[in-house]
Amino acid sequence: MAVELGASETTVRRWRARDTVQDRSHTSYRLATILKPMQEFVVVELRKWLSPPLDDPRAERTLRA
């Protein structure tokens, strides 16, 4: 059956062992990006300045002075 669906037996075995049928994230748990302290500071400050409040998902992304 696995060959008919284009999936290996290993893939089918892994899916059968899962508790849910939802797809899992493909994001790496360990990020390869390493920032210098000054770069990290700039990124954090830009996020603070450009991002809307987390409690208002409808808020527009505008520059806050």
Side-chain angles (χ1 to χ4, degrees):
M1 180 175 156
V3 176
E4 296 172 10
L5 299 174
S8 70
E9 289 182 28
T10 304
T11 301
V12 172
R13 193 177 308 114
R14 287 178 183 164
W15 273 83
R16 285 184 176 172
R18 288 185 174 190
D19 294 331
T20 67
V21 294
Q22 301 297 322
D23 282 338
R24 293 181 180 164
S25 172
H26 294 285
T27 303
S28 175
Y29 292 106
R30 190 177 56 166
L31 300 178
T33 304
I34 298 174
L35 298 175
K36 294 177 184 174
M38 188 55 153
Q39 291 172 320
E40 182 179 355
F41 174 78
V42 170
V43 169
V44 170
E45 291 303 312
L46 281 173
R47 285 181 179 169
K48 288 180 188 175
W49 195 45
L50 296 174
S51 296
L54 294 175
D55 59 345
D56 188 3
R58 297 170 296 151
E60 295 182 20
R61 290 188 174 266
T62 58
L63 296 177
R64 287 188 245 153

